[in-house]
Amino acid sequence: MDTPHRPPRRPHAWLPLLLLSQGLVAWAWWRWGWPLGLPLMFATHAVCWWGVLAPNSALYGPVLSRLPTGAREVWLTIDDGPSGDTAAILDLLDAHGAKATFFLVGDRAQARPDLVREIARRGHGIGNHSRTHPQAWFWALGPRRMRAEVEGCQRQLAAITGATPRWFRAVVGHANPFVSAPLRDEGLARVAWGARGFDAVDVDVARVLGKIERGLAPGAIVLLHEGAAHGRNVEMVAKLLQRLDALGYRTVLPRP
């Protein structure tokens, strides 16, 4: 498999397009008035919001949403740890001969460094999922706070494992215009997903697995979580691993 690792190269490429679009809006408003200018303004703003809120949008920088393979392989990604679920999930992965990438929150990793080292020791990947996981406001962070979230998590995870993460997942998948510059500087590639079951909020194991299975395909990136308040993430991972085995899928870690 060719490496799909693509850090941003031009983190500010969106800015000229934004300025051009708003210039066109101003010209249309001046030329034809609000009946055209107002809907055109709303349309251009909607595109900008789509770039923030759609996890697979590459408007503000490259994002990986599937692996470049035709084989029955999937990439398991597990967000929000380390947590009280981590050890049990690691045992499940071992039992199925499966590998996953854990996208870890820096402050949580600093509080449970032994779990982070155990993830690495067992041959799993470790990714950057921000320093503090500001779930409600990540989409709105300015450049200084965004850089602190990305770089702070890098420093914390590197200090624990001795290795610098190469993959980044935006909190809730929301990536605003300011995320690409620190990703470029840290050599991080942003990862989205193609199969998800909303396992962080849904307590129905069968419903979660059904949603994930509908997204399964060769090269699918599967989004999972650990440590959710409902307490059923370990059970969900166990059932998913059983289902992947039954469907003939194997798990892979892409080359960074």
Side-chain angles (χ1 to χ4, degrees):
M1 180 193 304
D2 292 338
T3 178
H5 188 265
R6 298 286 186 273
R9 296 175 57 192
R10 295 179 293 276
H12 305 296
W14 55 272
L15 184 56
L17 296 176
L18 175 64
L19 295 176
L20 177 62
S21 70
Q22 297 315 293
L24 289 173
V25 168
W27 177 79
W29 202 308
W30 171 80
R31 180 68 176 80
W32 289 290
W34 69 265
L36 180 62
L38 186 62
L40 190 59
M41 182 185 72
F42 281 134
T44 57
H45 287 191
V47 171
C48 294
W49 276 108
W50 168 77
V52 171
L53 300 178
N56 293 326
S57 169
L59 183 64
Y60 300 121
V63 58
L64 180 66
S65 56
R66 68 173 300 276
L67 299 180
T69 179
R72 290 179 77 80
E73 300 171 337
V74 297
W75 183 12
L76 295 183
T77 63
I78 303 173
D79 286 11
D80 295 355
S83 72
D85 293 340
T86 305
I89 291 174
L90 287 172
D91 289 342
L92 284 170
L93 293 169
D94 283 353
H96 288 266
K99 295 298 181 185
T101 295
F102 289 74
F103 283 91
L104 302 180
V105 178
D107 283 358
R108 296 174 190 173
Q110 202 164 45
R112 300 178 186 239
D114 290 344
L115 285 176
V116 180
R117 285 189 283 267
E118 186 65 10
I119 292 170
R121 189 189 70 80
R122 298 202 197 187
H124 301 288
I126 291 177
N128 181 322
H129 194 41
S130 82
R131 183 177 68 86
T132 66
H133 200 268
Q135 182 170 321
W137 297 106
F138 188 82
W139 63 273
L141 296 185
R144 182 178 298 179
R145 176 70 187 279
M146 182 67 76
R147 184 172 290 276
E149 287 290 336
V150 174
E151 293 183 351
C153 185
Q154 285 289 91
R155 303 289 89 78
Q156 289 167 314
L157 295 177
I160 295 169
T161 66
T164 303
R166 301 287 285 162
W167 304 103
F168 172 81
R169 173 160 285 148
V171 178
V172 200
H174 296 165
N176 73 22
F178 305 117
V179 73
S180 287
L183 295 189
R184 177 200 59 187
D185 296 345
E186 296 294 330
L188 285 160
R190 182 160 61 96
V191 180
W193 55 80
R196 71 182 301 187
F198 296 91
D199 60 318
V201 294
D202 195 340
V203 302
D204 189 306
V205 177
R207 186 163 56 228
V208 166
L209 292 180
K211 292 174 183 176
I212 292 174
E213 188 168 340
R214 285 193 289 274
L216 289 180
I221 300 174
V222 181
L223 172 63
L224 299 167
H225 295 83
E226 60 173 299
H230 57 62
R232 304 195 72 180
N233 285 140
V234 173
E235 182 183 356
M236 291 171 180
V237 172
K239 296 293 186 184
L240 176 61
L241 290 170
Q242 293 171 7
R243 191 63 184 145
L244 291 175
D245 288 345
L247 293 171
Y249 280 97
R250 74 183 189 97
T251 61
V252 295
L253 298 180
R255 287 192 301 113

